[in-house]
Amino acid sequence: MAIQETVLDVDAVWDLSRQPEYDNKRLVLIDGELIVMSPVKQMHGLLAVRLSACLLLYADEHGLGEVTTEVGHYPPGDRRTLLAPDVAFTTQARINQTAQDEFVPLMPDLAVEIASPGDSLAQLRRKAAIYLDNGARLVWIVLPDQQGVDVCRSAVGARLDIEFVGSDGALSGEEVLPGFALELSELFPNPRSS
């Protein structure tokens, strides 16, 4: 008799997230496989707040869309994948009108993943590819240890175009957030000591 692996979907994750044993846990789903993450550490949280505050102020000032943190997003045609970017921006034109107490059935225009000590760059880039393959136009992978950001875009042949921006550079909102710029020296509060 063959053992059948259980494949979960966004509805199962919604149910699990309401169970006491998953309190203070973040749940994501990739191809039906549940990934349980612990709460983030202080630097991760500080970077998420700084980045979301800058994006929110700019988006609100220009009426561009919504900025969220840790909201579950899934591709409209794939209920077996659910990601929760640390920070996300969705343009006004794409904001979904579904109930606001549910996961969002579209990927944000900009997804931001902040590397935690347990994350591998390969895992983060896999998430970036999922975002971009399913509607996101830009992904920033924030790398606190390097005080830089991998800027990811779609490239020909299902590959990622990755540009590293170091601590002396700036992030651009490109066509997603036209005119937005953030000097990384403002994002990372304490430069690394040499």
Side-chain angles (χ1 to χ4, degrees):
M1 181 163 103
I3 297 175
Q4 186 172 1
E5 183 178 318
T6 302
V7 177
L8 300 178
D9 65 8
V10 294
D11 297 321
V13 173
W14 180 260
D15 291 341
L16 287 173
S17 70
R18 300 167 59 133
Q19 302 299 319
E21 60 267 28
Y22 290 103
D23 280 352
N24 298 318
K25 302 274 194 251
R26 296 180 352 160
L27 307 175
V28 298
L29 197 58
I30 297 179
D31 293 328
E33 179 185 340
L34 182 68
I35 300 166
V36 180
M37 299 180 293
S38 298
V40 299
K41 296 192 175 160
Q42 185 174 6
M43 179 53 70
H44 187 120
L46 289 171
L47 291 171
V49 166
R50 285 174 191 249
L51 193 48
S52 60
C54 292
L55 289 169
L56 180 62
L57 288 172
Y58 189 84
D60 279 357
E61 180 180 334
H62 296 89
L64 297 175
E66 291 182 344
V67 176
T68 57
T69 58
E70 300 181 2
V71 170
H73 291 261
Y74 64 94
D78 180 4
R79 296 183 61 81
R80 296 179 316 119
T81 297
L82 175 72
L83 298 178
D86 293 305
V87 180
F89 168 76
T90 305
T91 59
Q92 194 68 41
R94 293 184 66 233
I95 293 172
N96 197 304
Q97 300 302 317
T98 62
Q100 293 189 354
D101 64 344
E102 296 177 3
F103 298 132
V104 181
L106 61 83
M107 289 299 176
D109 291 277
L110 166 66
V112 180
E113 290 287 343
I114 301 171
S116 293
D119 293 332
S120 74
L121 194 52
Q123 291 169 325
L124 293 167
R125 288 181 175 170
R126 180 179 182 205
K127 285 183 182 180
I130 292 169
Y131 288 121
L132 292 166
D133 289 345
N134 291 285
R137 296 186 288 159
L138 188 61
V139 177
W140 294 339
I141 300 174
V142 179
L143 304 166
D145 289 346
Q146 297 177 38
Q147 295 208 338
V149 176
D150 272 350
V151 177
C152 304
R153 302 170 198 88
S154 291
V156 177
R159 296 177 47 107
L160 289 179
D161 172 26
I162 301 170
E163 172 191 359
F164 179 76
V165 178
S167 59
D168 58 345
L171 291 174
S172 165
E174 300 180 13
E175 72 278 353
V176 176
L177 284 152
F180 176 82
L182 175 63
E183 297 291 329
L184 289 189
S185 59
E186 294 177 34
L187 179 61
F188 297 104
N190 302 315
R192 288 184 296 189
S193 52
S194 305

